[in-house]
Amino acid sequence: CNTDRILAEHRRRRDVRSAKMSRTLAIIQEAFVGVLDAIQECRSDAAELARAELEGRAAVEEGNELKRRLCHYRDFHEAAAHSFQDSVALELRFADWLREAHRAMQTEVARRNAERQAELATNRARMLALSRAAVEQMRAQRAQLEEALEFTLKEQSACQQALSVLEFSRPSDEQVRSHLRHLEHIQESVQWQERE
């Protein structure tokens, strides 16, 4: 009878321990599930943060590239505007020089005509004819020069337009250098024509 009580007590304590172990294992299992969930959330947050940082760096790089291109366009257009202004100023100076030359020629013709009023009518007619021929020749030469200059300016404008459009086709450095060399050659032609 005493032995039965001992065995019963032993079974009861064993059952209590088993219940405690079951509850402890359930708590540990729940804790592990919570830890795994937390680890998964941390991994997910880290991946999102890395993706956001990568997108941020890409946006900064793209913004810097866009800024560099805009600065390049601005510098190019400023240089083209200055070149065009210089060309216009040179053309105006050339026109002033032609007017001064024409006035000087008219003055010289008048002076010589006054000095030779006493000469024969044939000499006076010949001098007037020569003067008219010189004026007509200068006009013809000026017209030819203006046509050549207009053609070269159109070619310069077309080259500048081609350079502007070229930027949108992602050109190579060699293409850009080639177009810039062509533009410089045209500008030199314009300067020579304006000097002439």
Side-chain angles (χ1 to χ4, degrees), residues 103-117 127-128 131:
R103 280 195 293 269
M105 183 182 295
Q106 287 178 332
T107 302
E108 181 65 16
V109 168
R111 184 185 66 79
R112 290 185 181 184
N113 188 40
E115 290 176 354
R116 292 170 177 77
Q117 283 181 357
M127 184 181 66
L128 291 173
S131 176

Side-chain angles (χ1 to χ4, degrees), residues 39-165:
I39 291 173
Q40 185 63 31
E41 289 178 1
C42 289
R43 287 179 178 174
S44 177
D45 291 344
E48 290 181 3
L49 181 60
R51 185 165 54 252
E53 289 178 353
L54 183 62
E55 290 175 355
R57 284 197 299 270
V60 169
E61 290 175 0
E62 190 172 331
N64 290 335
E65 177 65 16
L66 181 61
K67 182 179 179 181
R68 186 190 67 77
R69 286 177 179 246
L70 289 175
C71 290
H72 174 73
Y73 294 149
R74 180 200 62 199
D75 295 340
F76 173 76
H77 286 299
E78 285 179 354
H82 287 313
S83 176
F84 180 72
Q85 289 174 352
D86 292 341
S87 299
V88 170
L90 199 57
E91 175 65 17
L92 291 174
R93 287 196 297 273
F94 179 65
D96 291 338
W97 178 83
L98 284 177
R99 282 192 291 270
E100 289 296 328
H102 189 258
R103 280 195 293 269
M105 183 182 295
Q106 287 178 332
T107 302
E108 181 65 16
V109 168
R111 184 185 66 79
R112 290 185 181 184
N113 188 40
E115 290 176 354
R116 292 170 177 77
Q117 283 181 357
E119 294 181 359
L120 295 174
T122 54
N123 291 335
R124 185 170 61 248
R126 183 175 58 189
M127 184 181 66
L128 291 173
L130 289 174
S131 176
R132 290 193 194 95
V135 170
E136 290 300 324
Q137 183 178 1
M138 178 172 278
R139 286 177 180 170
Q141 289 177 349
R142 182 180 178 185
Q144 291 176 350
L145 184 59
E146 286 176 348
E147 289 178 359
L149 182 60
E150 181 181 1
F151 176 81
T152 308
L153 287 174
K154 287 180 180 178
E155 188 177 4
Q156 177 181 340
S157 177
C159 185
Q160 291 171 346
Q161 181 67 26
L163 275 172
S164 298
V165 173

